[in-house]
């Protein structure tokens, strides 16, 4: 596996409608894999960097039928600028990732393995992943010998406080490509929707590998 | 994940044909996931509350090809009011749920994890589920710290007796969002088909998490 | 789950083309589930009982693209009466099942769980399955308390000898709804394609339940 | 399962466009099964034997949307003869397999079980697989008693060195139908795309069987 390098400072160029379609398509595919069941998960893309403008899924939608109408636009303070719907409650977390990581698209999934491992390893503060070729699917990684640290953040319903915790974790782990919320799920991102989706597929794959491996070794 | 609150006393408004289509679509999706294999499972929706009128799958159908013609209408005494087919043998259980819980739609699945866990935990009378963000997909639940009790009812072929057991369990656990029949499967419900489907996805997800977790900890 | 009774002595009524389409559709669905990967598996239906005429998949086909042209007709001695292709090498096994069980359709799958359990339990001569509601998906079974015995036959490349072993097993277990070939796969059947398909779904489901259960209890 | 014999010295006859379509279709199907997530995996077919001309996937593509435009043509020295894209970094490995095994098509997948088993058994230098009927899906294998040796090659980012290791392994194991790269994935091949695809399905199936089996026995 190899990936070309690219300039992370470039603004996204796709139109709002194209981004919504790309996110909706991604959401339906993730639902088919069981990664966003029961209206879980939410997806966003940066429409404009300065001042920050984010396209994000509305709250409480069945991802099996997600389409471009299910997105709305919010500013950096989480005000809805466009769209009749409520943003996802976790919009503040997306804004934190967009701000700190400079991401162009942010995807959040709830898989079985992510739920399990984020709980079982919470006391260690994260998961170390190394030695797998699939790591090269993470932006900028050139070798399977890469050490990826996937931080685990304690879950909370106090979303502003959670956003602050996440911001601190992102700042202290600038090389991480994602993070887990404990017993909750995965956040990852990329320069655009395709790269963020690639990161979801890579990290969910590696979580399943770790999950199956450890039961073998423990059991 | 967040969900809006709503008034549970409202009668369902969708037409019988629309409800049948929504249930059929749900059934085909569940079959694809392996939750209603081999003609197992059955689905219903309340057409009228007073007196109770229920739309329900006919008996013995392959859920892969379920469509609106495969439903019939029954009254509170399980008499067929409309449709040339036989109702599911478990129609009495659906009627009990509709009556006691005021549900608008009731869905019954047979998954591998539901079958396994309902048998392995039968002696405890139920499964306790707590700490998972996905719990917030259950109606009215606002935090992952919620304690969900999923009662397990001993299976029986005496359907009237089973309906009575279930009614007693539902009355003594008014906060539960579903129940398991031992070595049989899951019943859950919601105000409408979409909400009931969300509950199936949430509970089946959590059953898989518990099933995989427990083998790790035991093994 | 309930199923109506029916007269097993009735000859199948569907035309050869309809049967081929039904078998092909079933085969594609099984491939999607991973039950007939790599050209494994074969499917047949009885066209005429006296003298026996069987419609069966040709040898070595990718089941992802199976269609009605991929079937041929053979007589009781395995002579090809119609179709330019070679019958499956296991045609003799299908003929044995058609003859002994009076089946109208016979389906053979190679699942992961069937492969594993048929090997791990070979020394016991079969698998006992009891207590599961899903057992009621087997023709004539009325209660989850039913005891199903799924015989395991030692695998062999001497197909006439294997057919004789299977015939003996079928005669000594007239109540079984299927059998396993060791480290190979499942054979089951029914009065027609739909009922045989239901049996595959039920038995593959139960094999997965047993496989997952046993690792938990052993491990 | 049976497969007809055929003359391995025949050159492939399909046109470049037909081969690209067949490989793209295969890639999309593998992505659906989770075998080439996150842009992992690459696929090739021999266009001409003397001098060697290979059609191969471009680098870094999402396999969910793979199509005929995503392929390019390279010669034996890995020069791009046609197509505006970069070849996969592992093109040298495909060329080695094409040269040493005389393969007409070469497929590389990254499955969870392949990743796990290739790491856990690396110190043994390979995986022994025997006793399974599914082995007969491998070209030339006539009995489940066949002993397949699936060599495991240490992973490396030095692709020319890796190609040399693989060439040595292929020459010393001329009867093997594939090999694993440690913590990376599977390579297999066949006379044409359909046969190579059959080999992927067979070997991925057997890896899952071995992976599930061994956890049971160890655990």
């Amino acid at each position: 596996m190899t990936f070309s390098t690219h300039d992370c400072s470039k603004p996204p160029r796709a139109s709002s409608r194209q981004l919504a379609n790309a996110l909706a398509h991604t959401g339906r595919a993730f639902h088919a894999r069981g990664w966003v069941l029961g209206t879980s998960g939410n997806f966003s893309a940066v429409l404009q960097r300065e001042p920050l403008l984010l396209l994000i899924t509305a709250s409480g939608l069945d991802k099996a039928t997600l389409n471009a109408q299910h997105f709305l636009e919010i500013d950096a303070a989480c005000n809805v600028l466009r769209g009749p719907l409520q943003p996802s409650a976790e919009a503040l977390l997306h804004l934190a990732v967009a701000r700190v990581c400079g991401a162009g698209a942010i995807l959040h999934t709830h898989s079985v393995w992510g739920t399990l491992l984020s709980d079982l390893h919470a006391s260690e503060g994260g998961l170390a992943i190394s030695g797998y070729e699939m790591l090269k699917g993470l932006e900028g990684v050139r070798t399977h010998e890469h050490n990826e640290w996937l931080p685990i953040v304690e879950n909370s319903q106090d979303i502003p406080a959670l956003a602050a915790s996440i911001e601190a974790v992102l700042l202290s782990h600038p090389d991480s490509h994602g993070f887990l919320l404990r017993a909750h799920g995965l956040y990852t991102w990329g320069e655009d929707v395709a790269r963020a989706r690639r990161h979801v597929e890579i990290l969910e794959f590696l979580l399943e590998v770790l999950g199956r491996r450890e039961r073998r070794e423990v059991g």
Side-chain angles (χ1 to χ4, degrees), chain A residues 14-97:
Chain A
S15 77
S16 180
R17 166 57 66 121
Q18 283 173 320
L19 285 170
N21 278 325
L23 289 170
H25 177 76
T26 295
R28 295 192 303 270
F30 287 179
H31 187 269
R33 290 201 191 271
W35 293 344
V36 289
L37 291 178
T39 79
S40 69
N42 36 66
F43 317 121
S44 69
V46 172
L47 290 168
Q48 183 185 287
R49 188 72 65 194
E50 291 291 345
L52 186 59
L53 197 60
L54 199 70
L55 183 78
I56 190 165
T57 33
S59 179
L61 295 166
D62 180 354
K63 301 310 184 291
T65 54
L66 195 67
N67 66 52
Q69 274 76 51
H70 295 141
F71 289 81
L72 42 82
E73 298 179 15
I74 58 173
D75 67 12
C78 214
N79 299 306
V80 177
L81 302 188
R82 192 167 166 181
L85 303 160
Q86 278 286 100
S88 164
E90 297 183 21
L92 285 177
L93 312 188
H94 287 251
L95 288 167
V97 175

Side-chain angles (χ1 to χ4, degrees), chain A residues 2 5 8 17 19 30 37 42 45 79 87 90 97 111 114 126 150 152 166 168 177 192 214-215 219:
Chain A
T2 49
T5 53
C8 288
R17 166 57 66 121
L19 285 170
F30 287 179
L37 291 178
N42 36 66
N79 299 306
E90 297 183 21
V97 175
S111 72
L150 202 58
I152 300 174
I166 285 164
H177 292 80
D192 54 27
E214 107 182 352
R215 286 191 303 147

Side-chain angles (χ1 to χ4, degrees), chain A residues 17 66 114 122 158 160-161 204 207:
Chain A
R17 166 57 66 121
L66 195 67
D158 180 344
E204 290 292 359
L207 289 169

